[in-house]
Every structure is written in C-alpha cells, then in structure tokens.
Amino acid sequence: MEHCKPMDDETSWDIVSRIVEWLDSKTDLPPSTVELLRVLKIGEEYGEVAEAVHGVMGSNPRKGVSHTQDDIVRELFDVILTAMVAVVTMRPDAKKAFGAHLSSAADRLLSS
C-alpha cells in the first residue's frame, strides 16, 4: 500500500475503510475466516501492550527496563486500529454504529 496520507475531509473511519479494502484485496480467504483472524489479531496486539508494560516496569530481570510510556501508547494505538479494522470488516456501517454505541455508553457512564 502506498503511503496513506489522509485527505482534508477524511475521517479516521474513512482511512480504516481504505485499509480494509487494501487488506481484502490481498487475501483469498473466505470472509468468515478473514473476520475471525482480524478479531484474533486484537489479542496479538494486546500482547504487545502487555510486553511494553512489563518493559516499563522492568519486571523481567533478564531485560530490565526495556520500554517507555510512549511504547505503551504506540501499542495501544495499534490495538485501537486493529479493533477498528475488525469492526469495519464485520460492519460496513461501523462509523455510525460506533457513534451510537459511544453515545449510549456516555449516557450510562456520565449519568451515574
């Protein structure tokens, strides 16, 4: 994929949709398998977050402090992006569906 520069009016969801289109063009797997693998990829990315947290805490005596807070944030961004890819794969109306979900969650959380 060429370097993906967002257009002025392009949202994050639009960019993710373009990424999904590109990914879809590179696979011959059945759609149900693609969906499953993209959901499972979230777990892989979460594992990288956990590794970065351990690296910040220096919890592995063999490695010591091997990561920074910025590493954790970058890995969390990868989790978010990977989840967005999975959702767009499963729901072409992901942007609208997430907006409704976010509003509902905000109503529940902020009204407590």
Side-chain angles (χ1 to χ4, degrees), residues 32-108:
S32 60
T33 302
V34 170
E35 286 180 3
L36 177 62
L37 291 173
R38 290 183 184 165
V39 169
L40 291 175
K41 180 77 173 165
I42 298 166
E44 178 184 331
E45 296 298 338
Y46 166 75
E48 293 176 17
V49 173
E51 179 181 356
V53 169
H54 281 281
V56 166
M57 303 294 292
S59 62
N60 183 336
R62 190 174 47 82
K63 293 181 181 179
V65 175
S66 58
H67 289 75
T68 66
Q69 293 281 36
D70 286 344
D71 293 324
I72 295 172
V73 170
R74 274 192 299 277
E75 297 301 345
L76 286 168
F77 286 152
D78 284 347
V79 170
I80 293 167
L81 174 58
T82 303
M84 289 175 77
V85 166
V87 170
V88 168
T89 299
M90 299 173 78
R91 296 276 306 258
D93 67 336
K95 179 180 178 179
K96 181 179 177 183
F98 181 71
H101 182 81
L102 182 59
S103 291
S104 174
D107 287 347
R108 281 191 322 274

Side-chain angles (χ1 to χ4, degrees), residues 18-33:
R18 287 200 293 142
I19 291 169
V20 168
E21 287 175 16
W22 180 80
L23 289 168
D24 287 348
S25 76
K26 302 296 181 186
T27 185
D28 293 327
L29 295 171
S32 60
T33 302

